[in-house]
Amino acid sequence: MQITLTLNGVRVSEEIAPDMLLIDFVRAHGCKSVKRGCETSNCGLCTVFMDDKPVLSCSVLAARADGHKITTLEGLQQEAAEFGAFIADQGAEQCGFCNPGFIMNALALFREQPYPSEEQVKEYLAGNLCRCSGYEGQLRGIMNFLAWKKQKEGAQ
């Protein structure tokens, strides 16, 4: 079947198998930040934005993306760069495998709620799994980023 979508700002048309998953489609197009983790929609590693809303690409058929805008971390480099540095500063990127999913979901949270409370952050990111850090570094990085962002915006 033929699909056409916009992937990180580039229009892509391709013939695909009807059962192809979106994760396989974006990875085949060089988006290696999208990871396969649990394959049960429980870990958040495969998060992408479909029309600016987070979806788990391991549970979405590529055919469902036909006509939509898909954005991966590769398409959000500027937006993610400042925030990612705060995660790294806390040593929360130990193996780095979960970071793209965490960053994608944190960016989605910031778009919905520019200054979430710590409890809101914990609730929103509850579906992201990290097997090596215990989440405290990610949480500290997020809260430090939000404090920095608030201070930066107040200074302007």
Side-chain angles (χ1 to χ4, degrees):
M1 76 184 315
Q2 184 75 25
I3 65 167
T4 301
L5 55 86
T6 303
L7 178 60
N8 295 327
V10 177
R11 186 176 162 95
V12 178
S13 288
E14 188 170 309
E15 186 73 26
I16 63 162
D19 63 346
M20 180 180 221
L21 293 172
L22 184 56
I23 187 172
D24 297 318
F25 184 87
V26 298
R27 287 186 60 83
H29 286 85
C31 301
K32 301 302 182 188
S33 70
V34 183
K35 306 279 182 24
R36 177 172 266 110
C38 66
E39 296 191 70
T40 60
S41 305
N42 286 310
C43 71
L45 295 176
C46 66
T47 301
V48 301
F49 290 167
M50 181 182 289
D51 298 329
D52 297 320
K53 298 290 183 201
V55 298
L56 298 171
S57 63
C58 76
S59 61
V60 175
L61 291 172
R64 296 276 319 239
D66 186 33
H68 293 276
K69 178 177 98 171
I70 304 299
T71 309
T72 68
L73 191 57
E74 287 84 356
L76 297 171
Q77 289 301 300
Q78 285 186 315
E79 190 175 349
E82 286 181 333
F83 171 63
F86 282 85
I87 297 294
D89 187 51
Q90 292 300 316
E93 81 293 346
Q94 289 180 12
C95 81
F97 196 69
C98 68
N99 278 355
F102 262 107
I103 291 172
M104 290 295 290
N105 280 297
L107 293 176
L109 170 61
F110 302 154
R111 289 175 177 189
E112 288 181 24
Q113 179 77 21
Y115 294 101
S117 68
E118 185 171 322
E119 193 57 40
Q120 289 171 312
V121 170
K122 287 178 180 178
E123 184 177 312
Y124 199 93
L125 299 178
N128 287 80
L129 297 181
C130 175
R131 290 176 173 87
C132 61
S133 76
Y135 306 100
E136 289 303 313
Q138 285 97 337
L139 183 59
R140 281 192 312 271
I142 289 168
M143 299 314 292
N144 288 347
F145 170 75
L146 292 171
W148 171 80
K149 188 171 101 171
K150 189 177 275 190
Q151 181 182 16
K152 179 181 163 187
E153 289 175 2
Q156 292 178 354

